[in-house]
Amino acid sequence: VFGEINGVVEGTVFANRKAASERGVHRPLVAGIAGIADEGAESICVAGGYPDDEDYWSEIIYTGQGGNDTTKAVRQVRDQVLEAGNRALATSADRGLPVRVLRGSGGDPTYSPLQGYRYDGLYYVDRYWSEVGRSGFVVWRFRLVRIGEAAVAPSVDSDEPATRISGTVQRLVRNTSVTQAVKELHKSLCQICGVNVETVAGPYAEGCHIKPLGRPHDGPDAPGNVLCLCPNDHVRFDRGWFVLSDDLEIVESATGRPSGRLRLVKHHMINLSCVQYHRGLFSSASESPSSTPRESSLRTPKKQGTQ
Ligand SMILES: [Zn+2]
């Protein structure tokens, strides 16, 4: 069941996981993610199980599951892979499915209930990527954004059985004056495939931030961090299907195979550190999972301050 559970309003507190499970809010008793790999995730539980989690209420940077040795408390001993619950959250991102969020008292004290588990409404999965976590192993991470009340249509009030139509955002395309300027430099031609999309209003292209805007990446809204892409290539790039090499070759991240060169125009310089950052987000998409800790290559500013 995706979306709200009939009769369970936001803010409902459950004494324990079992009570939340019986109401259908978050069914598993231990796992943090409820879902099926190729259908989507219906709910997550944010309860402080992973030290990499970050909770800002309207945004959650959530760590995927797996890699732990259950005999050693919560101790990651292997890389996480994009399968099972992690794949389910990725599917939710691709389909724009709403995810119920249950916060437990073990999470960040700012937004967690004092006791038990609280249902905190619906979020959508904005994007996902991999990085080396505090344990030194690869973790998959998911940025969840709270769905505003305006995004959900009210129930229809009539004698007919209630028809509830709810929607959510599948893909947010950010338009800034910077992305607009880059699109104009490229005359809306995609820097990967060279095509522009014709609409009745003229050619259409999207500005793609190489290092993502917003937490935890905080990429700059500057021309050097923006590509002009067609919608297809924008999705492929955001989801890590391909990355760019330092000499701006387009490389399939799963196979490492080069597939052409980024199209460039005068007066649009690409920021290489942003290219490297994006590549780092998907560098574990091709490698086989490791059981040897790695040096972390990505640290968010928040963590640097707390270590
Ligand atoms: Zn394209």
Side-chain angles (χ1 to χ4, degrees), residues 179 182-192 205-208 226-230 262-263 268:
T179 61
V182 169
K183 287 189 281 183
E184 282 165 17
L185 281 175
H186 288 273
K187 300 186 166 61
S188 293
L189 293 170
C190 174
Q191 286 186 260
I192 288 180
E206 295 179 355
C208 165
V226 171
L227 298 175
C228 172
L229 298 181
C230 71
L262 194 71
R263 290 157 178 272
H268 182 211

Side-chain angles (χ1 to χ4, degrees), residues 191-193 244-245 247-250 259-264:
Q191 286 186 260
I192 288 180
C193 68
L244 296 173
S245 71
D247 47 11
L248 302 182
E249 219 169 12
I250 302 155
S259 61
R261 194 168 280 277
L262 194 71
R263 290 157 178 272
L264 300 171

Side-chain angles (χ1 to χ4, degrees), residues 16-240:
N16 47 44
R17 291 279 296 259
K18 190 161 173 286
S21 172
E22 281 166 359
R23 281 303 272 119
V25 173
H26 184 70
R27 290 182 295 163
L29 293 174
V30 177
I33 305 168
I36 297 171
D38 52 11
E39 292 183 12
E42 55 177 86
S43 58
I44 61 165
C45 179
V46 187
Y50 283 92
D52 297 297
D53 284 355
E54 297 168 39
D55 192 348
Y56 306 99
W57 177 251
S58 57
E59 292 168 67
I60 301 169
I61 314 300
Y62 190 72
T63 309
Q65 60 185 201
N68 284 342
D69 183 339
T70 49
T71 64
K72 295 176 184 166
V74 188
R75 171 96 173 75
Q76 195 176 352
V77 293
R78 281 181 304 279
D79 287 346
Q80 292 184 353
V81 287
L82 195 61
E83 59 177 37
N86 300 344
R87 258 280 304 291
L89 278 172
T91 299
S92 294
D94 292 347
R95 298 189 187 171
L97 294 170
V99 179
R100 290 186 299 278
V101 167
L102 189 71
R103 278 191 178 81
S105 57
D108 188 322
T110 316
Y111 303 114
S112 301
L114 290 173
Q115 296 173 345
Y117 294 85
R118 187 184 61 220
Y119 170 57
D120 280 339
L122 302 177
Y123 285 64
Y124 71 93
V125 187
D126 172 51
R127 60 169 65 231
Y128 52 90
W129 66 95
S130 66
E131 64 183 60
V132 178
R134 291 189 189 191
S135 61
F137 290 100
V138 169
V139 293
W140 280 88
R141 303 191 81 198
F142 302 86
R143 179 174 185 265
L144 288 100
V145 178
R146 191 171 149 82
I147 297 173
E149 281 67 27
V152 182
S155 6
V156 176
D157 192 15
S158 74
D159 294 338
E160 301 290 309
T163 317
R164 192 177 172 85
I165 304 166
S166 53
T168 178
V169 181
Q170 185 157 5
R171 256 179 94 234
L172 203 66
V173 179
R174 296 180 195 258
N175 242 319
T176 66
S177 55
V178 171
T179 61
Q180 192 53 40
V182 169
K183 287 189 281 183
E184 282 165 17
L185 281 175
H186 288 273
K187 300 186 166 61
S188 293
L189 293 170
C190 174
Q191 286 186 260
I192 288 180
C193 68
V195 166
N196 67 17
V197 177
E198 294 295 347
T199 77
V200 287
Y204 173 89
E206 295 179 355
C208 165
H209 288 89
I210 301 170
K211 179 178 181 178
L213 295 180
R215 288 172 175 138
H217 313 289
D218 296 318
D221 187 28
N225 188 35
V226 171
L227 298 175
C228 172
L229 298 181
C230 71
N232 283 0
D233 284 320
H234 191 176
V235 172
R236 292 186 188 110
F237 191 80
D238 274 357
R239 301 293 198 240

Side-chain angles (χ1 to χ4, degrees), residues 256-277:
R257 206 168 44 211
S259 61
R261 194 168 280 277
L262 194 71
R263 290 157 178 272
L264 300 171
V265 294
K266 248 189 226 176
H267 309 304
H268 182 211
M269 299 290 290
I270 306 293
N271 183 331
L272 272 190
S273 72
C274 296
V275 163
Q276 290 160 357
Y277 185 96

